[in-house]
mmCIF file of all heavy atoms in Angstrom:
data_model
loop_
_atom_site.group_PDB
_atom_site.id
_atom_site.type_symbol
_atom_site.label_atom_id
_atom_site.label_comp_id
_atom_site.label_asym_id
_atom_site.label_seq_id
_atom_site.Cartn_x
_atom_site.Cartn_y
_atom_site.Cartn_z
ATOM 1 N N GLU A 1 79.107 40.918 203.279
ATOM 2 C CA GLU A 1 77.867 40.541 202.612
ATOM 3 C C GLU A 1 76.931 41.749 202.555
ATOM 4 O O GLU A 1 76.687 42.427 203.550
ATOM 5 C CB GLU A 1 77.191 39.405 203.377
ATOM 6 C CG GLU A 1 75.915 38.925 202.702
ATOM 7 C CD GLU A 1 75.221 37.834 203.500
ATOM 8 O OE1 GLU A 1 75.739 37.485 204.575
ATOM 9 O OE2 GLU A 1 74.184 37.339 203.048
ATOM 10 N N THR A 2 76.439 42.056 201.375
ATOM 11 C CA THR A 2 75.551 43.198 201.182
ATOM 12 C C THR A 2 74.094 42.719 201.193
ATOM 13 O O THR A 2 73.736 41.813 200.441
ATOM 14 C CB THR A 2 75.842 43.902 199.861
ATOM 15 O OG1 THR A 2 77.214 44.333 199.848
ATOM 16 C CG2 THR A 2 74.956 45.124 199.681
ATOM 17 N N VAL A 3 73.310 43.333 202.053
ATOM 18 C CA VAL A 3 71.894 42.998 202.133
ATOM 19 C C VAL A 3 71.083 44.263 201.856
ATOM 20 O O VAL A 3 71.287 45.299 202.511
ATOM 21 C CB VAL A 3 71.523 42.446 203.529
ATOM 22 C CG1 VAL A 3 70.039 42.147 203.605
ATOM 23 C CG2 VAL A 3 72.343 41.209 203.836
ATOM 24 N N VAL A 4 70.223 44.206 200.876
ATOM 25 C CA VAL A 4 69.396 45.350 200.524
ATOM 26 C C VAL A 4 68.076 45.258 201.274
ATOM 27 O O VAL A 4 67.351 44.264 201.161
ATOM 28 C CB VAL A 4 69.139 45.400 199.001
ATOM 29 C CG1 VAL A 4 68.236 46.577 198.650
ATOM 30 C CG2 VAL A 4 70.460 45.500 198.245
ATOM 31 N N LEU A 5 67.784 46.289 202.079
ATOM 32 C CA LEU A 5 66.530 46.342 202.808
ATOM 33 C C LEU A 5 65.563 47.217 202.020
ATOM 34 O O LEU A 5 65.766 48.421 201.900
ATOM 35 C CB LEU A 5 66.754 46.916 204.212
ATOM 36 C CG LEU A 5 67.674 46.116 205.127
ATOM 37 C CD1 LEU A 5 67.858 46.834 206.457
ATOM 38 C CD2 LEU A 5 67.112 44.722 205.360
ATOM 39 N N ARG A 6 64.548 46.611 201.485
ATOM 40 C CA ARG A 6 63.585 47.360 200.683
ATOM 41 C C ARG A 6 62.167 46.862 201.015
ATOM 42 O O ARG A 6 61.926 45.656 200.995
ATOM 43 C CB ARG A 6 63.876 47.194 199.200
ATOM 44 C CG ARG A 6 62.892 47.949 198.295
ATOM 45 C CD ARG A 6 63.214 47.761 196.816
ATOM 46 N NE ARG A 6 64.498 48.370 196.483
ATOM 47 C CZ ARG A 6 65.454 47.760 195.788
ATOM 48 N NH1 ARG A 6 65.266 46.502 195.391
ATOM 49 N NH2 ARG A 6 66.574 48.370 195.496
ATOM 50 N N LYS A 7 61.297 47.785 201.341
ATOM 51 C CA LYS A 7 59.922 47.457 201.671
ATOM 52 C C LYS A 7 58.989 48.245 200.758
ATOM 53 O O LYS A 7 59.126 49.455 200.614
ATOM 54 C CB LYS A 7 59.612 47.771 203.132
ATOM 55 C CG LYS A 7 60.463 47.008 204.143
ATOM 56 C CD LYS A 7 60.151 45.520 204.135
ATOM 57 C CE LYS A 7 60.962 44.791 205.193
ATOM 58 N NZ LYS A 7 60.694 43.340 205.194
ATOM 59 N N ALA A 8 58.049 47.539 200.143
ATOM 60 C CA ALA A 8 57.077 48.210 199.279
ATOM 61 C C ALA A 8 56.014 48.945 200.088
ATOM 62 O O ALA A 8 55.528 50.001 199.696
ATOM 63 C CB ALA A 8 56.404 47.180 198.340
ATOM 64 N N ASN A 9 55.695 48.392 201.246
ATOM 65 C CA ASN A 9 54.704 49.013 202.122
ATOM 66 C C ASN A 9 55.343 50.183 202.872
ATOM 67 O O ASN A 9 56.336 50.012 203.554
ATOM 68 C CB ASN A 9 54.172 47.969 203.121
ATOM 69 C CG ASN A 9 52.996 48.498 203.928
ATOM 70 O OD1 ASN A 9 52.982 49.650 204.329
ATOM 71 N ND2 ASN A 9 52.027 47.629 204.160
ATOM 72 N N PRO A 10 54.796 51.405 202.770
ATOM 73 C CA PRO A 10 55.386 52.573 203.463
ATOM 74 C C PRO A 10 55.511 52.381 204.961
ATOM 75 O O PRO A 10 56.515 52.781 205.565
ATOM 76 C CB PRO A 10 54.433 53.713 203.118
ATOM 77 C CG PRO A 10 53.767 53.286 201.853
ATOM 78 C CD PRO A 10 53.652 51.805 201.938
ATOM 79 N N LEU A 11 54.515 51.776 205.590
ATOM 80 C CA LEU A 11 54.582 51.552 207.041
ATOM 81 C C LEU A 11 55.719 50.599 207.399
ATOM 82 O O LEU A 11 56.431 50.803 208.387
ATOM 83 C CB LEU A 11 53.248 51.013 207.554
ATOM 84 C CG LEU A 11 52.056 51.971 207.447
ATOM 85 C CD1 LEU A 11 50.772 51.288 207.930
ATOM 86 C CD2 LEU A 11 52.321 53.244 208.244
ATOM 87 N N ALA A 12 55.868 49.559 206.583
ATOM 88 C CA ALA A 12 56.959 48.608 206.818
ATOM 89 C C ALA A 12 58.317 49.294 206.621
ATOM 90 O O ALA A 12 59.274 49.032 207.347
ATOM 91 C CB ALA A 12 56.815 47.408 205.905
ATOM 92 N N ALA A 13 58.377 50.182 205.619
ATOM 93 C CA ALA A 13 59.626 50.899 205.353
ATOM 94 C C ALA A 13 59.964 51.824 206.526
ATOM 95 O O ALA A 13 61.121 51.929 206.938
ATOM 96 C CB ALA A 13 59.501 51.704 204.067
ATOM 97 N N ILE A 14 58.955 52.502 207.088
ATOM 98 C CA ILE A 14 59.170 53.373 208.258
ATOM 99 C C ILE A 14 59.671 52.550 209.452
ATOM 100 O O ILE A 14 60.554 52.965 210.193
ATOM 101 C CB ILE A 14 57.883 54.133 208.598
ATOM 102 C CG1 ILE A 14 57.557 55.148 207.495
ATOM 103 C CG2 ILE A 14 58.005 54.830 209.940
ATOM 104 C CD1 ILE A 14 56.232 55.830 207.672
ATOM 105 N N LYS A 15 59.080 51.359 209.610
ATOM 106 C CA LYS A 15 59.503 50.487 210.703
ATOM 107 C C LYS A 15 60.967 50.100 210.568
ATOM 108 O O LYS A 15 61.722 50.112 211.562
ATOM 109 C CB LYS A 15 58.620 49.233 210.710
ATOM 110 C CG LYS A 15 58.896 48.297 211.884
ATOM 111 C CD LYS A 15 57.943 47.099 211.843
ATOM 112 C CE LYS A 15 58.237 46.145 213.006
ATOM 113 N NZ LYS A 15 57.327 44.964 212.972
ATOM 114 N N VAL A 16 61.390 49.780 209.346
ATOM 115 C CA VAL A 16 62.806 49.440 209.109
ATOM 116 C C VAL A 16 63.685 50.653 209.407
ATOM 117 O O VAL A 16 64.747 50.541 210.038
ATOM 118 C CB VAL A 16 63.020 48.969 207.663
ATOM 119 C CG1 VAL A 16 64.517 48.833 207.357
ATOM 120 C CG2 VAL A 16 62.311 47.643 207.431
ATOM 121 N N GLY A 17 63.240 51.847 208.972
ATOM 122 C CA GLY A 17 64.004 53.055 209.243
ATOM 123 C C GLY A 17 64.172 53.349 210.718
ATOM 124 O O GLY A 17 65.248 53.747 211.166
ATOM 125 N N VAL A 18 63.105 53.141 211.470
ATOM 126 C CA VAL A 18 63.161 53.366 212.924
ATOM 127 C C VAL A 18 64.142 52.390 213.570
ATOM 128 O O VAL A 18 64.952 52.777 214.440
ATOM 129 C CB VAL A 18 61.765 53.226 213.547
ATOM 130 C CG1 VAL A 18 61.852 53.220 215.071
ATOM 131 C CG2 VAL A 18 60.855 54.366 213.086
ATOM 132 N N LYS A 19 64.114 51.132 213.167
ATOM 133 C CA LYS A 19 65.016 50.140 213.734
ATOM 134 C C LYS A 19 66.478 50.476 213.416
ATOM 135 O O LYS A 19 67.342 50.388 214.291
ATOM 136 C CB LYS A 19 64.683 48.738 213.179
ATOM 137 C CG LYS A 19 63.434 48.116 213.791
ATOM 138 C CD LYS A 19 63.252 46.696 213.268
ATOM 139 C CE LYS A 19 62.045 46.022 213.931
ATOM 140 N NZ LYS A 19 61.865 44.622 213.444
ATOM 141 N N LYS A 20 66.737 50.867 212.169
ATOM 142 C CA LYS A 20 68.106 51.215 211.789
ATOM 143 C C LYS A 20 68.585 52.453 212.538
ATOM 144 O O LYS A 20 69.742 52.531 212.952
ATOM 145 C CB LYS A 20 68.192 51.429 210.280
ATOM 146 C CG LYS A 20 67.907 50.195 209.456
ATOM 147 C CD LYS A 20 68.907 49.072 209.719
ATOM 148 C CE LYS A 20 70.280 49.370 209.214
ATOM 149 N NZ LYS A 20 71.219 48.229 209.400
ATOM 150 N N THR A 21 67.698 53.446 212.693
ATOM 151 C CA THR A 21 68.075 54.655 213.425
ATOM 152 C C THR A 21 68.399 54.328 214.881
ATOM 153 O O THR A 21 69.374 54.839 215.447
ATOM 154 C CB THR A 21 66.948 55.695 213.357
ATOM 155 O OG1 THR A 21 66.660 55.984 211.975
ATOM 156 C CG2 THR A 21 67.361 56.994 214.054
ATOM 157 N N TYR A 22 67.584 53.483 215.491
ATOM 158 C CA TYR A 22 67.842 53.041 216.875
ATOM 159 C C TYR A 22 69.212 52.354 216.946
ATOM 160 O O TYR A 22 69.983 52.584 217.895
ATOM 161 C CB TYR A 22 66.741 52.090 217.319
ATOM 162 C CG TYR A 22 67.053 51.372 218.617
ATOM 163 C CD1 TYR A 22 66.930 52.020 219.848
ATOM 164 C CD2 TYR A 22 67.486 50.045 218.613
ATOM 165 C CE1 TYR A 22 67.229 51.362 221.032
ATOM 166 C CE2 TYR A 22 67.782 49.384 219.785
ATOM 167 C CZ TYR A 22 67.648 50.048 221.000
ATOM 168 O OH TYR A 22 67.958 49.395 222.166
ATOM 169 N N TYR A 23 69.527 51.552 215.952
ATOM 170 C CA TYR A 23 70.814 50.841 215.935
ATOM 171 C C TYR A 23 71.964 51.846 215.839
ATOM 172 O O TYR A 23 72.971 51.716 216.540
ATOM 173 C CB TYR A 23 70.844 49.871 214.752
ATOM 174 C CG TYR A 23 72.219 49.315 214.473
ATOM 175 C CD1 TYR A 23 72.780 48.311 215.271
ATOM 176 C CD2 TYR A 23 72.955 49.786 213.400
ATOM 177 C CE1 TYR A 23 74.026 47.811 215.015
ATOM 178 C CE2 TYR A 23 74.220 49.279 213.136
ATOM 179 C CZ TYR A 23 74.759 48.298 213.948
ATOM 180 O OH TYR A 23 76.007 47.805 213.689
ATOM 181 N N PHE A 24 71.827 52.858 214.973
ATOM 182 C CA PHE A 24 72.897 53.856 214.824
ATOM 183 C C PHE A 24 73.099 54.659 216.098
ATOM 184 O O PHE A 24 74.223 54.923 216.522
ATOM 185 C CB PHE A 24 72.582 54.808 213.658
ATOM 186 C CG PHE A 24 72.624 54.158 212.310
ATOM 187 C CD1 PHE A 24 71.677 54.461 211.345
ATOM 188 C CD2 PHE A 24 73.589 53.209 212.011
ATOM 189 C CE1 PHE A 24 71.708 53.858 210.111
ATOM 190 C CE2 PHE A 24 73.629 52.602 210.776
ATOM 191 C CZ PHE A 24 72.690 52.924 209.808
ATOM 192 N N VAL A 25 71.996 55.062 216.740
ATOM 193 C CA VAL A 25 72.079 55.813 217.989
ATOM 194 C C VAL A 25 72.754 54.965 219.083
ATOM 195 O O VAL A 25 73.652 55.429 219.802
ATOM 196 C CB VAL A 25 70.697 56.288 218.450
ATOM 197 C CG1 VAL A 25 70.749 56.866 219.857
ATOM 198 C CG2 VAL A 25 70.144 57.334 217.479
#
């Protein structure tokens, strides 16, 4: 299942990026 993570708010987008980076690490 493909889920697209997209946030219009830059702060929300940064938050998603930090969570994904933590998951990868």
Side-chain angles (χ1 to χ4, degrees):
E1 182 182 2
T2 302
V3 179
V4 178
L5 298 177
R6 180 180 294 132
K7 299 292 183 181
N9 188 320
L11 294 178
I14 292 174
K15 185 178 179 181
V16 171
V18 170
K19 284 185 177 181
K20 296 298 291 184
T21 303
Y22 169 77
Y23 168 76
F24 293 140
V25 170

